[in-house]
Every structure is written in C-alpha cells, then in structure tokens.
Amino acid sequence: MLTSTTTAVPAERARVAVAVAFVVNGFAFASWISRVPAARDALGLSSAELGLLLLCVAVGSTVALPLTGPVVHRIGPARGVLAGGVVTGAGLLLLALGLGSGQVVPAGAGLTLVGVGVGSWDVAMNIEGAAVEQRLGRVLMPRLHAGFSLGTVAGALLGAGAAALAFPLAAQLALTAVLAVAALTLATRSFLPAEPGAEDAHRGGSGVGRAWREPRTLLVGVLTLAFAFTEGSANDWLAVALVDGHGIAQSTAAVGFAVFVAAMTAVRLVGGTLLDRWGRVAVLRAGGLTAVLGLLLFVTAPALPFALAGALLWGAGAALGFPVGMSAAADDPARAAARVSVVSSISYTAFLAGPPLIGFVAEASGVLRALLVVLVVLAVGMLAAGATRPLRPAEAD
C-alpha cells in the first residue's frame, strides 16, 4: 500500500515513463522487422542466408544479456535503458548503410549492434517495470508489454505505409533511430530514483550466479523461451511466409504482421484481468493452445482471410508468455534484477536458435512447413508453466 503522495507521484510518473520505453522499443523493432522481405531483396538473400542475417540480432542480444543484469544492478535501469537505446540507434544507422549500399557485412554488423542494444534495453526496462509494479502494488507487466505491442503495431503500420509508397528502407531506419533515442532521453528522466542503501546492495553483488542455480528461475526461463520462440518466429517469418508461402504482396504482408501484433496488444491490455481471475498457469496453458490452433490455421490456410485469422489467434495465444515470465522472475523484489537477467538470457536463446533453424528447414521444405517447428517448442514451454505460480513468502528468501 502507498502511504503518501510523495511516494505515489514519482511511481506514477515512472509508470508512464517505463511505458514509453516499452512502446519505443516495439516501434523501433517492428519498423525494421515488418520490412524483412524488402531487406532480403535489397541484399539478394536466400531463405537460409536471411536466417543467418537475422541470427545477428540474436547473437548480439545473447552476448549482451548475461552482462546486463549486473550492469543495470550497478548503474540503474534509467541509464541501462538509455544506453541500450543509443546502441540500438547506432545499429539501425549501420544497418541502413548496409541496405543502402547492398552490402551484407555492414548490415549484419548493424543488426548485431541492434541485438546488443535491444537486449540491454529489454532487460533494463523489465527491471524498471517490475520495480514500478511492486511500488504501486498492482499488476502492470501485461499492460507494459501491451505498450511494446502497440509500438510494434505502429512500427508495422509505418513499414506497411513505407512499402506501399516505395519509401527507402534505409531512410526509414535512420529516421527511426533518431526518434527512438530522443524519446528515451526524455522518458528515462522520470524513472524511479535509486532506493536508499542501493550502494550497499551493489557492494553485495548482483546475485546472477546464484539465480542460474535456482530450479524455479530456470523453469520460468524455459517457459519464457518457448513463448519468445512462438512470438519471435512470427516477428522474423510471418511476413516472409505470407509473401513466399501464400503469394501475398509485401505491403499486404506487412498488414498481416500488424494483425498478429494487434492481437497480442489486445490480449495484453486485458491480461491483468485474466490473470487475476484464472491465475498464471491456466492462462498460459490456454494461451499456448490458442497459439497452436492459430499457427496450424496460418500454415494450412487456403486463402488470405484464413491466414489472417491464423495470425490473429497466433498473436493472441503468444501474448502473455513473456510478460508473465518477467513478473514471475521478479516476484521477490530483492532478487528481481538477477532473476530477470537470467530469464531474459534463457528466453533470448529462442531468438538465437529460431531464425537459422526455421531458415534451414524452410530451404528444404518451404517456410510454411518450417513454422511447424514452433509447435514442438511451445509444447515444452506449456509443461513448464507451473513454475510461474507466485512465490509464497517463505520461498522468496
């Protein structure tokens, strides 16, 4: 319970500020990912080569994530988010240079920087979001991740409009980089101030090593990995699958991706209500089954309306896995930074393995059939859903 206006006002400001960080993160990500087909054509890549290019993002994130928890523990979420945004912006500019010149190496280097920046930014904003959630005493993470989804809707619509107008992808990415850094510079000024005694906590260490040895944290990581794989596969391959598998124009494919993220957004906006009524485990398992149905419909769709319906169910089912995993990792505020860092590190393995795995399978069987790999991963994640049950007081120590 909040006991004073002086406590409530900074927390409410921080809630808005961290929501902006989530929105901008989604916008920056989707403005690129919604135009993957255009990037593939600009660089003249096959499906397998595109998978390897997309792998660069995952490599950057996977390298950064284990380090981000201790760094954010030391410098604070505000500086962590801003630093991640600056690195992401630099990566987008380098990617724009590579696409503009048709050169794979600078494009890959740019995507690696994007991965480093987005990974660091992601962990830092989730740590801040969990702190605000604890400070205000109400469920916020699904709505914050809905902010990410709203950002991806805006970024996807920007990509669709830019594709329809034949606006250069390189120029779009450069503009996105500038806007993202400017927005984060303003937003992070309103993050929560450091708690009294934070310096003593820093001297005690971040606790990341201990978190890697906790069975519950690892299982939450597996659950989050499965849903991240389900979501990330759509991010990387849904637009390509609509173009190559269903014969849809690039501009329409970008709209299809927007349908996916719009469904995620809608479910995340009501996620708090669903979780309060039925609990984490039941909601996650129902979501997993919905994603399975959506993916099967998307792959087997005989016409565009069925494919779009599949994308909608796919997005709705995948919506709550990542935010619930972050909330579960942060159940104990004293260990939130370390556990969120570990869960994020595990879940981002999905982004490391997903793009090349689906790309190589797509090379042999086509991108639509390759997406069925997601079903296996999702089944494993649903088995781990029980680990997200809230900690009892004795388990938090």
Side-chain angles (χ1 to χ4, degrees):
M1 293 290 293
L2 297 177
T3 57
S4 70
T5 302
T6 57
T7 300
V9 171
E12 287 294 342
R13 279 202 296 257
R15 178 183 63 80
V16 174
V18 74
V20 170
F22 273 84
V23 170
V24 175
N25 188 289
F27 178 81
F29 179 71
S31 67
W32 140 248
I33 211 71
S34 65
R35 296 196 67 189
V36 166
R40 178 194 60 185
D41 294 345
L43 298 173
L45 303 177
S46 67
S47 293
E49 290 168 338
L50 177 61
L52 290 174
L53 180 67
L54 295 172
L55 177 64
C56 293
V57 178
V59 168
S61 293
T62 304
V63 169
L65 283 167
L67 305 176
T68 301
V71 170
V72 172
H73 185 80
R74 183 165 295 278
I75 70 174
R79 291 179 180 176
V81 167
L82 184 56
V86 170
V87 174
T88 299
L92 288 174
L93 292 174
L94 185 55
L95 172 61
L97 177 64
L99 294 174
S101 61
Q103 298 295 314
V104 175
V105 172
L111 284 176
T112 302
L113 279 180
V114 168
V116 171
V118 167
S120 303
W121 178 354
D122 185 87
V123 171
M125 72 183 182
N126 273 288
I127 291 171
E128 176 71 7
V132 174
E133 186 176 62
Q134 294 286 341
R135 182 75 65 89
L136 292 176
R138 62 179 188 266
V139 177
L140 291 177
M141 291 300 274
R143 285 184 175 269
L144 291 176
H145 283 266
F148 172 85
S149 298
L150 285 170
T152 60
V153 171
L157 292 176
L158 172 67
L165 297 172
F167 189 77
L169 177 54
Q172 176 190 325
L173 294 176
L175 179 62
T176 299
V178 173
L179 291 175
V181 174
L184 290 179
T185 300
L186 294 174
T188 53
R189 295 175 181 176
S190 296
F191 275 28
L192 289 174
E195 292 285 349
E199 281 300 313
D200 293 335
H202 294 334
R203 293 189 191 103
S206 66
V208 171
R210 174 179 173 179
W212 275 108
R213 299 189 297 272
E214 296 170 346
R216 178 183 183 267
T217 299
L218 297 179
L219 285 172
V220 170
V222 170
L223 174 281
T224 312
L225 180 151
F227 278 87
F229 190 91
T230 304
E231 178 182 347
S233 298
N235 292 337
D236 290 335
W237 292 102
L238 191 150
V240 176
L242 285 171
V243 172
D244 291 358
H246 291 296
I248 304 304
Q250 287 189 14
S251 57
T252 305
V255 173
F257 178 66
V259 168
F260 172 86
V261 293
M264 292 194 70
T265 303
V267 172
R268 285 174 172 173
L269 286 172
V270 299
T273 301
L274 296 175
L275 292 165
D276 286 340
R277 182 166 184 178
W278 285 295
R280 291 172 178 173
V281 178
V283 168
L284 289 175
R285 288 175 177 163
L289 290 174
T290 302
V292 167
L293 292 175
L295 184 58
L296 289 172
L297 179 58
F298 179 85
V299 170
T300 61
L304 177 61
F306 293 96
L308 294 180
L312 186 147
L313 291 174
W314 185 355
L320 294 178
F322 202 92
V324 170
M326 293 298 106
S327 286
D331 276 344
D332 178 6
R335 305 191 195 283
R339 288 171 176 166
V340 168
S341 176
V342 169
V343 169
S344 296
S345 298
I346 295 171
S347 63
Y348 268 78
T349 304
F351 299 116
L352 177 63
L357 175 60
I358 292 177
F360 286 127
V361 175
E363 196 76 7
S365 63
V367 66
L368 288 177
R369 290 185 179 178
L371 288 173
L372 296 176
V373 171
V374 177
L375 300 179
V376 178
V377 178
L378 189 54
V380 174
M382 290 170 66
L383 293 174
T388 64
R389 290 186 179 89
L391 289 174
R392 294 188 295 271
E395 295 173 320
D397 297 327

